[in-house]
Amino acid sequence: MSKTDNILIIGAGLCGSMLALRLAQHDYNITLVEKRPDLRQAKLSAGRSINLAFSNRGLKAFKRVGLEDRVKELCIPMHGRMLHDPDSNTKLSKYSGRDGEYINSISRPGLNALLLDELENYPNVNIKFEMACQEVNLEQTTAEFELADGSKQSLQADYIFGTDGAGSAVRKAMQLKRNFLFSHSQDFLTHGYKELSFPPTKDGDYATEPHALHIWPRGENMIIALPNQDKSFTVTLFLAYEGGRDNFNNLTTPEAVSDYFKREYPDAFELMPRLTEEFFENPTAPLGTVRCNPWTYQNCLIMGDAAHAIVPFYGQGMNASFEDVVEFDDCLEANNFDLKASLKDFSRSRKVNADAIADLALDNFHEMKAHTAQELFQQKREIELALEEEFPQQYFSKYSLVTFQEQVPYKTAMDRGRAQDQAILSLLKHQKLHQKQTREEQLQLIRNFTEQILKGEYIINL
């Protein structure tokens, strides 16, 4: 197929910039449009997530476009979850029993800037900032934009890709098509989030261990903290809007906020000199999941959060969006660069895996805020880490399947991982898994129960 096709990509965030780069490398003519100012020249708005968890599925995309070494320079390795109990005791729970498997804290603006800088090396790419998409004509493959000065501009292309996030204008255009059977749902959690921080110490060092993702699980609510390269931490409070003793609706004074953090997160409170200022300056944002189907109509396709926004609790939202680009690239090559056929193949094949990681992210919300602190869950993790260490090619936990086994589809990782979790928890509860067994005996027992669950031959009684 002709690579003289003109492609309009709406949304120059992480997914859109990666997609533009890969398609530019295939010699397509790319116009990349973003409603916000160029983040390389503008200050990031307060409260917008500045660091993210970057892992193998995201790295796969950077390998594909030849930026693997440069992206690693932005990474801070995090080897496990550092759990903080109400008495300020800590315990590190590693992410994997295998050497060399860890996730990374990475700067969102730094990552986006890396991709935009690389895009500017391609003469077949035109990047336009401060152009907000107002309307998309799916049949004519045109889009109307409003510029910063209030003027209007229309752009036409052979193909349109919507990578414009959870509030996608391109998805809205699909939804409004009267003769187009389009399913769409947007489900919000009862919780929202607010971003806070640990500044560096007076000596210019990290205030706590930098090579871990810190979690303060407190039943229905929690905070997490990820390190930044400037020696600060980004701290995120996940809290219910209403109900319970403390919620966003009743933490309305500096005194109430301070009292809540002193009581629930005493060790974190000591590291937050600007807690109350940040709490009232930074916005409270919702947490939701977007599902829709199909993702394509004629010569238009949505991708990334525009097609499948998820809650952040598996650290896979960004990674899943980057993997979208890899999967679409594979479809292109399989279809000999027939774009129209690739749109349909990608929409059809990727959907089941996007749904799977959305479900897993919701599961992990409950796991992180409550289960990580439970003894049974910690016993399960200790067994899994030991099995991964002793049998590195034979056993992979659900977390490892999702995070480190990038060749395994999300749906496969979810099905096997859930079955393994159910098997181990049931065996522990009924004392059929214990310390007197060898690791090999434990492995075989877990494998047998897992296969029975996958085949529907065993009903779990937890």
Side-chain angles (χ1 to χ4, degrees):
M1 293 293 107
S2 171
K3 290 191 181 177
T4 59
D5 286 322
N6 294 303
I7 296 175
L8 172 61
I9 300 175
I10 300 174
L14 297 176
C15 182
S17 298
M18 176 62 77
L19 177 64
L21 179 55
R22 188 54 182 158
L23 292 178
Q25 291 174 341
H26 288 312
D27 296 325
Y28 292 106
N29 298 313
I30 309 296
T31 300
L32 177 63
V33 182
E34 170 58 41
K35 69 178 179 180
R36 296 185 178 90
D38 187 342
L39 58 77
R40 295 168 296 177
Q41 301 169 13
K43 184 179 179 181
L44 199 68
S45 59
R48 177 168 166 78
S49 178
I50 64 169
N51 60 3
L52 301 160
F54 182 68
S55 54
N56 293 30
R57 294 179 195 268
L59 183 60
K60 182 167 58 174
F62 281 83
K63 290 179 181 177
R64 184 70 62 99
V65 298
L67 292 176
E68 178 182 4
D69 291 339
R70 288 174 63 188
V71 77
K72 286 182 176 179
E73 294 174 3
L74 303 176
C75 292
I76 302 173
M78 299 185 292
H79 297 281
R81 295 169 171 171
M82 185 70 79
L83 304 175
H84 296 248
D85 73 15
D87 296 321
S88 301
N89 300 310
T90 60
K91 180 179 181 180
L92 180 66
S93 176
K94 291 177 64 179
Y95 284 125
S96 173
R98 282 173 290 274
D99 292 335
E101 289 189 345
Y102 52 84
I103 65 174
N104 300 278
S105 178
I106 196 164
S107 160
R108 178 199 291 271
L111 196 55
N112 216 155
L114 170 61
L115 292 168
L116 292 171
D117 287 345
E118 185 66 17
L119 277 167
E120 290 182 338
N121 295 324
Y122 288 81
N124 53 326
V125 175
N126 183 15
I127 309 175
K128 298 174 178 285
F129 295 100
E130 296 187 88
M131 290 179 59
C133 184
Q134 302 297 304
E135 187 177 347
V136 179
N137 187 316
L138 301 174
E139 281 86 5
Q140 300 298 320
T141 55
T142 60
E144 302 293 330
F145 298 88
E146 182 176 335
L147 282 62
D149 61 4
S151 63
K152 309 289 185 180
Q153 184 174 348
S154 178
L155 295 176
Q156 183 160 22
D158 298 305
Y159 293 87
I160 292 178
F161 288 78
T163 54
D164 47 341
S168 171
V170 184
R171 188 184 68 238
K172 182 180 178 181
M174 290 182 174
Q175 190 175 0
L176 292 175
K177 282 299 299 175
R178 298 189 179 212
N179 60 344
F180 179 40
L181 298 177
F182 184 79
S183 300
H184 171 247
S185 68
Q186 192 166 350
D187 299 308
F188 290 97
L189 294 180
T190 56
H191 289 57
Y193 74 94
K194 186 182 289 287
E195 297 216 328
L196 308 164
S197 69
F198 297 159
T201 65
K202 292 180 180 178
D203 298 329
D205 204 354
Y206 286 105
T208 187
E209 169 57 50
H211 295 295
L213 189 155
H214 295 260
I215 305 178
W216 287 257
R218 296 297 183 265
E220 283 304 307
N221 308 306
M222 66 175 169
I223 60 173
I224 66 171
L226 278 73
N228 298 307
Q229 288 194 327
D230 66 359
K231 304 298 178 70
S232 69
F233 281 80
T234 299
V235 181
T236 308
L237 168 66
F238 297 98
L239 184 67
Y241 283 103
E242 59 185 19
R245 178 174 178 179
D246 304 282
N247 55 62
F248 278 124
N249 288 344
N250 66 21
L251 292 181
T252 56
T253 66
E255 294 76 19
V257 172
S258 294
D259 288 347
Y260 171 60
F261 272 79
K262 284 179 186 176
R263 184 176 70 252
E264 297 293 339
Y265 317 108
D267 53 334
F269 176 78
E270 296 298 324
L271 307 178
M272 305 174 79
R274 296 194 66 249
L275 168 63
T276 55
E277 292 92 333
E278 289 180 338
F279 189 93
F280 292 104
E281 287 172 4
N282 293 347
T284 302
L287 295 160
T289 301
V290 171
R291 301 179 199 256
C292 61
N293 188 53
W295 297 349
T296 187
Y297 178 77
Q298 295 195 3
N299 287 9
C300 300
L301 174 73
I302 52 176
M303 185 183 290
D305 282 356
H308 53 81
I310 64 175
V311 295
F313 302 107
Y314 225 111
Q316 285 295 306
M318 166 187 63
N319 294 289
S321 293
F322 284 145
E323 191 177 61
D324 279 358
V325 177
V326 174
E327 294 289 317
F328 182 75
D329 193 45
D330 289 344
C331 287
L332 265 182
E333 297 202 19
N335 286 297
N336 194 27
F337 294 92
D338 182 334
L339 271 166
K340 195 154 192 171
S342 300
L343 301 186
K344 291 180 180 179
D345 284 357
F346 172 79
S347 179
R348 183 170 50 247
S349 64
R350 185 64 173 159
K351 168 68 173 168
V352 65
N353 291 307
D355 285 345
I357 192 55
D359 290 340
L360 284 166
L362 290 168
D363 288 351
N364 224 35
F365 170 55
H366 302 291
E367 179 177 304
M368 289 175 71
K369 67 188 175 66
H371 298 171
T372 50
Q374 294 175 358
E375 184 179 352
L376 192 65
F377 177 85
Q378 292 180 7
Q379 289 176 358
K380 179 177 82 72
R381 284 301 295 154
E382 288 173 5
I383 289 171
E384 290 191 298
L385 290 170
L387 292 177
E388 287 185 329
E389 184 175 2
E390 192 160 339
F391 306 103
Q393 301 305 316
Q394 298 179 55
Y395 186 82
F396 298 87
S397 70
K398 180 178 69 180
Y399 188 87
S400 289
L401 288 168
V402 171
T403 307
F404 305 123
Q405 296 297 297
E406 65 272 22
Q407 77 285 0
V408 177
Y410 280 130
K411 179 65 163 63
T412 304
M414 179 182 73
D415 291 344
R416 175 158 291 278
R418 280 178 169 176
Q420 285 178 173
D421 285 354
Q422 290 173 347
I424 296 172
L425 289 170
S426 181
L427 289 166
L428 282 171
K429 181 177 180 180
H430 297 291
Q431 300 180 337
K432 294 182 179 180
L433 202 60
H434 48 77
Q435 293 181 342
K436 293 181 180 179
Q437 296 162 328
T438 66
R439 292 300 183 195
E440 190 167 1
E441 288 172 334
Q442 290 179 337
L443 175 64
Q444 197 56 49
L445 189 58
I446 293 167
R447 274 183 160 182
N448 290 341
F449 268 62
T450 299
E451 293 305 319
Q452 290 178 48
I453 294 167
L454 286 169
K455 293 175 182 177
E457 297 172 354
Y458 181 79
I459 304 300
I460 290 296
N461 178 24
L462 290 179

